[in-house]
Amino acid sequence: MDHARVVSEPGPAIFRRLWGTGLLDAGDMHALAHLGWERREVKARNPFDPGENLCILSSGFGFRQRNTAGGVHSFVSLIVPGDICSYVFVTGNASQPVFSAATPCMLMQAPLQTVSLLCEKHPNILAAILSNLAVDKSTTEELVTSLGCRTALERVAHFLCEVEFRLRRMGLVDNMQFQFQLTQAEIGEYLALSAVHVNRTLQELRRRELIRTQGARISLLDRDELQKLAGFSLDYLQDRVQHRAAARFDA
Amino acid sequence: MDHARVVSEPGPAIFRRLWGTGLLDAGDMHALAHLGWERREVKARNPFDPGENLCILSSGFGFRQRNTAGGVHSFVSLIVPGDICSYVFVTGNASQPVFSAATPCMLMQAPLQTVSLLCEKHPNILAAILSNLAVDKSTTEELVTSLGCRTALERVAHFLCEVEFRLRRMGLVDNMQFQFQLTQAEIGEYLALSAVHVNRTLQELRRRELIRTQGARISLLDRDELQKLAGFSLDYLQDRVQHRAAARFDA
DNA sequence: CGTTAGCTTGAAATCTGTCAATGATTGTGG
DNA sequence: CCACAATCATTGACAGATTTCAAGCTAACG
C-alpha cells in the first residue's frame, strides 16, 4: 500500500498538498480554485517576500532563508510545489525567514483579507492550512535532528528520501526518478555541509548504488536501503496521523 | 530601553507570555484565568504527552523531544515557564515531539473543547496563541542556524542569551542572574554538542569573564559582549514585530 | 558515609572544512 | 552553430574543531 499515492481530487494540482490533508471536501476545493489568485514569477536566486498574502509555490524549488544580524544566513526549510511559502498570514508574526528561489519559480498568491473570508466560510480550509503549518514545523524539527544526530552520509540520504516523498505526494516522481535542480552548494547550505563534502557524499551514495544522477535528474535505485541508511520515517511529513500505530513505511 | 521589561498585567504570572503578545485586553485575561485549569506535576526526567489539551508550563524546564525510528532522539525546543508545551490542540497534528521534563515541572492544562469555546468568544486569545506558535517555530529555525553556522562557543553563548531573554520576559531574571538547572549533557543534547565539549566551552566563557556559575545559578557578567560573540538578535523571539527597522538590541 | 550523578581533564581518533586547481556543463551572443 | 564565459562538479592535500574514551574528582543525598 502506497501512502503517498496520488488521490484523484477535484481541483488544480497546486492544491493537492492541501487536499492531501484529508480535511477538505469538493466544495472547499471549488472555493479554493475560484479565489482569484494572482500568478507571480520569481527568477532563480531571487528572494521574494509574500508579506501577509497566502502564497503557494506552483513550480520550482525554493528555500525559506533566515538572515541574522551577524551576516549569518541559512536555509531553514525547503519549499516544493504545493507548499505554502510563508505562514505570516496565519500567525501575524513578521520576523520570519523570507522565501528564496533556488530555481525559476511560479507562485500563486491571494491577499490576507480574501483568505480570511474564505476561511470563515470554509473552516476546513483553515484546518488544512494549520495542518500544513504543523508539518512544516515538524519538518524543520526533523532537520534539527539531522544536523544534531546524523552523519553527512545519513543527512544527505535522509534529505533525498524526504524530497522523494514530498514530490511523489505531488505527483512529481516517476518511477523513483525526479527532477532535482539544486546545486550541491544549496544542498550543503540546507544540511550544514560544505559543497565539497556534499559532492563526496553523493559519490559515496552512487558508489553504493543507492542513487543515480543524470544531469538534474536523480533516481533512487534502492529506496528501502536508502531509508534504512538515513533512519527515515515518514511520520513527520504526514498531516493528521490518526492511527499512529499503523504501518510506517510504504510497501 | 528594555524591550523585555515586565509589564504590569491583569492576571497570574503564568499568562505573562500570552499577555506579552500585546494582543490581549483585561477581559481576555480574566477569561483565561477562570478557565478551570488542572494542575499537573511531572517529575524530572519524565516525559509527558499533553495530547489535545492546551498545556502551559508553570515552573521548571523541559524540552520537546523528537524520537525517530532508528532510536535517534533529540531535543528540538526548550520550554520555559509561560510557554505552551504542545500545539497539537491548534494544528490537530499528532505526530509531534513529546514534552520531556528536565527538572521537576508544574503544568497547567485545559481540554481542547474548553479552549475552543474560549477562542470563539475571545478571538484575540487565538491570535495570541498563534503568535506564540510562530515564535516557537522561529526559535527552532534559529536553532537550525546555530547548528549550521555557529561554533560551539557561539552556540552556547547564543543559547545563554536566548534563555536569559526568555526568562527575563517572565520576570525570572534578577540582575543578570537566573536559576539554570540543566545538566551539561542536556545542553549538549539540545545544541548538538557532547557533554565534554559543553564543559570545555563553558570554561572558556568563564575564562573570558562573560559568565559566572554558582551551583545551578548562572550570571551573565557581560551580556552585550556575550550577545556580540553569539551573533544574537532578539528579533526571532518577539511576537508581532510591527516595526522591523526599529532598534534590535536592548539598551 | 557510601553511592550516584554530574563535572573536569587529557590524549587520541575522526569527521568535516578549507584551499586550490582542474574538468564538465550550461547558457549566450556573435 | 560555434566560441566564450560563467557556473558547477570534482579531486587532492592539509588543517582544525569536535567526538570518543577513560579516568579521576566533586557534591549532593539517602
Side-chain angles (χ1 to χ4, degrees):
Chain A
M1 173 174 165
D2 190 340
H3 288 198
R5 74 193 176 280
V6 176
V7 239
S8 76
E9 79 276 350
I14 191 184
F15 302 126
R16 187 167 285 170
R17 182 73 189 75
L18 283 168
W19 172 256
T21 60
L23 293 167
L24 305 184
D25 61 28
D28 298 323
M29 291 302 277
H30 183 83
L32 264 178
H34 295 80
L35 195 58
W37 297 90
E38 181 199 341
R39 285 165 66 89
R40 164 100 202 195
E41 218 175 316
V42 179
K43 293 208 184 74
R45 308 303 151 87
N46 278 50
F48 173 68
D49 183 357
E52 288 203 321
N53 298 315
L54 164 55
C55 178
I56 301 180
L57 182 61
S58 172
S59 68
F61 289 90
F63 290 95
R64 268 197 219 92
Q65 185 173 25
R66 159 165 279 280
N67 301 296
T68 66
V72 183
H73 58 91
S74 59
F75 294 153
V76 294
S77 45
L78 175 73
I79 312 290
V80 305
D83 289 339
I84 293 172
C85 298
S86 158
Y87 290 92
V88 170
F89 75 102
V90 180
T91 62
N93 195 319
S95 75
Q96 292 221 349
V98 96
F99 178 81
S100 166
T103 69
C105 284
M106 182 60 73
L107 308 169
M108 306 272 277
Q109 54 180 342
L112 172 58
Q113 198 156 24
T114 313
V115 177
S116 289
L117 291 173
L118 176 76
C119 288
E120 275 173 30
K121 276 196 191 164
H122 298 266
N124 289 339
I125 292 181
L126 179 59
I129 289 171
L130 287 174
S131 182
N132 275 17
L133 168 59
V135 170
D136 186 283
K137 192 166 182 298
S138 200
T139 303
T140 301
E141 288 168 349
E142 185 72 25
L143 177 60
V144 169
T145 303
S146 258
L147 302 188
C149 307
R150 294 195 247 261
T151 66
L153 193 70
E154 293 163 351
R155 232 178 282 177
V156 172
H158 189 278
F159 181 58
L160 293 176
C161 291
E162 177 182 314
V163 172
E164 193 270 342
F165 175 81
R166 290 171 64 182
L167 292 182
R168 180 153 43 95
R169 173 160 66 183
M170 289 297 292
L172 296 173
V173 172
D174 174 31
N175 190 31
M176 300 287 171
Q177 283 184 34
F178 53 93
Q179 203 68 19
F180 196 54
Q181 201 92 325
L182 298 181
T183 68
Q184 298 179 350
E186 284 162 342
I187 297 173
E189 186 156 357
Y190 183 64
L191 298 179
L193 297 168
S194 67
V196 172
H197 207 62
V198 170
N199 183 288
R200 297 196 162 113
T201 304
L202 287 172
Q203 284 180 55
E204 174 66 14
L205 290 174
R206 279 190 291 250
R207 198 194 60 73
R208 297 193 189 189
E209 299 190 312
L210 295 174
I211 66 170
R212 182 189 300 149
T213 54
Q214 308 132 71
R217 210 161 178 74
I218 188 166
S219 45
L220 310 192
L221 301 177
D222 189 341
R223 195 180 60 185
D224 289 348
E225 198 53 39
L226 203 62
Q227 292 184 343
K228 200 174 140 204
L229 168 64
F232 177 82
S233 143
L234 42 73
D235 277 9
Y236 73 97
L237 288 167
Q238 288 175 319
D239 305 82
R240 296 206 153 241
V241 180
Q242 278 121 352
H243 304 292
R244 293 228 270 165
R248 294 191 157 181
F249 288 93
D250 290 16
Chain B
M1 174 174 162
D2 191 342
H3 289 198
R5 73 191 176 281
V6 176
V7 237
S8 76
E9 79 275 354
I14 190 184
F15 302 125
R16 188 167 283 170
R17 182 73 187 78
L18 284 166
W19 173 255
T21 60
L23 295 165
L24 305 184
D25 60 29
D28 298 323
M29 291 301 277
H30 184 83
L32 264 177
H34 295 79
L35 195 57
W37 297 90
E38 183 198 343
R39 285 164 66 86
R40 164 103 202 191
E41 217 176 316
V42 180
K43 293 208 185 75
R45 306 306 151 88
N46 279 47
F48 173 68
D49 185 356
E52 289 201 323
N53 298 315
L54 165 54
C55 179
I56 301 182
L57 182 60
S58 172
S59 69
F61 289 89
F63 290 97
R64 269 198 218 93
Q65 184 173 25
R66 157 164 280 280
N67 301 296
T68 65
V72 183
H73 59 91
S74 58
F75 294 151
V76 295
S77 45
L78 175 72
I79 313 290
V80 305
D83 289 341
I84 294 172
C85 297
S86 157
Y87 290 92
V88 170
F89 75 102
V90 181
T91 62
N93 195 318
S95 74
Q96 293 221 350
V98 97
F99 178 81
S100 168
T103 70
C105 285
M106 183 60 73
L107 309 168
M108 306 272 277
Q109 54 180 342
L112 172 58
Q113 198 156 24
T114 311
V115 178
S116 290
L117 291 173
L118 177 76
C119 289
E120 276 172 29
K121 274 197 192 161
H122 298 266
N124 289 340
I125 293 180
L126 179 59
I129 290 172
L130 287 174
S131 183
N132 275 15
L133 168 58
V135 171
D136 186 284
K137 190 167 183 295
S138 201
T139 304
T140 301
E141 289 168 350
E142 184 72 24
L143 178 60
V144 169
T145 302
S146 257
L147 302 188
C149 305
R150 295 196 246 261
T151 66
L153 193 70
E154 292 164 351
R155 233 180 280 177
V156 172
H158 189 278
F159 181 58
L160 292 176
C161 292
E162 178 182 314
V163 171
E164 193 269 343
F165 176 81
R166 289 170 65 182
L167 293 182
R168 182 154 41 97
R169 173 160 65 183
M170 289 297 292
L172 297 173
V173 172
D174 173 31
N175 190 30
M176 299 287 173
Q177 282 185 36
F178 52 95
Q179 203 68 20
F180 195 54
Q181 200 92 320
L182 299 179
T183 68
Q184 297 179 351
E186 285 162 341
I187 297 173
E189 187 156 355
Y190 183 64
L191 298 179
L193 297 167
S194 67
V196 172
H197 206 62
V198 170
N199 183 289
R200 295 197 229 264
T201 304
L202 287 172
Q203 284 180 55
E204 175 65 15
L205 290 174
R206 279 190 291 249
R207 196 193 63 73
R208 297 194 189 188
E209 298 188 313
L210 295 173
I211 67 171
R212 182 189 300 149
T213 54
Q214 309 131 72
R217 211 164 177 75
I218 187 167
S219 46
L220 310 192
L221 300 179
D222 189 342
R223 193 180 64 186
D224 289 348
E225 198 53 40
L226 204 61
Q227 292 184 342
K228 199 174 141 205
L229 167 64
F232 177 82
S233 145
L234 41 72
D235 278 8
Y236 73 97
L237 287 167
Q238 287 176 318
D239 305 83
R240 294 202 154 245
V241 179
Q242 278 122 351
H243 304 291
R244 293 226 271 167
R248 296 191 156 182
F249 288 92
D250 288 18

